[in-house]
Amino acid sequence: MKRPGFWREVGVALALSIVGAIAYPAMAAFVGSAASLRLIIAGLGIVYAVLLMRGVQARAGRMIAIAAWLALDIALFALDPALLLWLLAQTFAIWLLRCWCCYGSFVAALADGALCLFALAAAMVGAAHSHSLFLALWSYFLVQALFVLIPDTLRPRTAAALRFDQSSHDEDRFDQAHRSAEAAVRRLTAHP
């Protein structure tokens, strides 16, 4: 998958935040504020998933991911848990989707999981302090945009790898010193 750029993700964050902030009061007049908030969360989640999967090559995988996301949304609507569980479920789905699309190592996936939790915390703090859906969504999706900075493979350096790197570096220094010494001896022997 070709990873999107940071500024593209910032644009997506801004667009989703504006759409959510505009759609919420319009929908709240018809279905109530609690239901409209849940619809906004589910709708923005599926739109974000579709935008994230634009670069995925496998068509079957995309269809399965969208079907799983829709099944999650249907289950959330049927069970109607607390709003925090809705947010956690959508964030977990985003994390799983990005793990499938973007990462080749466990450490990178863990870093993305931490980023997702931080995005959720930022959204909750933004909502608590500003009472603005726009700022809560903006905080959430702006932090989520930082996932493009996580390398697809983060591998911890093991002690054996460090020893190998150090020994090869030592050998290179030895070879260089050996060549310098041979050149000096040749210069000394060449001039009587």
Side-chain angles (χ1 to χ4, degrees):
M1 170 186 174
K2 183 178 181 247
R3 306 252 319 252
F6 176 71
W7 294 110
R8 177 194 174 270
E9 288 299 305
V10 169
V12 167
L14 183 62
L16 292 176
S17 301
I18 291 170
V19 167
I22 291 172
Y24 173 71
M27 291 173 63
F30 296 108
V31 296
S33 62
S36 66
L37 190 57
R38 285 166 171 76
L39 284 169
I40 294 295
I41 291 168
L44 292 179
I46 196 75
V47 168
Y48 183 77
V50 168
L51 290 173
L52 187 63
M53 289 189 302
R54 277 187 8 180
V56 175
Q57 304 299 334
R59 291 199 181 276
R62 282 192 286 189
M63 297 308 291
I64 291 171
I66 294 297
W69 201 293
L70 289 174
L72 171 70
D73 286 343
I74 290 169
L76 287 172
F77 277 111
L79 298 174
D80 196 26
L83 183 61
L84 181 60
L85 193 56
W86 274 77
L87 295 170
L88 284 170
Q90 293 292 323
T91 301
F92 181 71
I94 288 171
W95 176 70
L96 282 178
L97 186 63
R98 283 202 303 238
C99 287
W100 172 66
C101 291
C102 302
Y103 304 120
S105 74
F106 181 71
V107 177
L110 280 180
D112 190 73
L115 182 73
C116 286
L117 290 177
F118 184 69
L120 189 56
M124 291 170 62
V125 168
H129 287 290
S130 69
H131 302 288
S132 166
L133 181 62
F134 171 77
L135 288 178
L137 291 171
W138 172 245
S139 300
Y140 181 80
F141 287 116
L142 185 62
V143 173
Q144 291 285 9
L146 295 173
F147 89 92
V148 299
L149 302 177
I150 299 173
D152 58 349
T153 55
L154 283 175
R155 292 192 178 94
R157 302 212 42 173
T158 62
L162 289 174
R163 279 193 307 274
F164 177 75
D165 288 347
Q166 183 62 36
S167 65
S168 65
H169 180 67
D170 289 343
E171 287 175 11
D172 290 342
R173 288 178 38 203
F174 176 78
D175 289 340
Q176 183 182 9
H178 181 70
R179 285 190 298 272
S180 296
E182 285 180 339
V185 168
R186 275 193 300 260
R187 280 191 304 255
L188 286 174
T189 58
H191 300 298

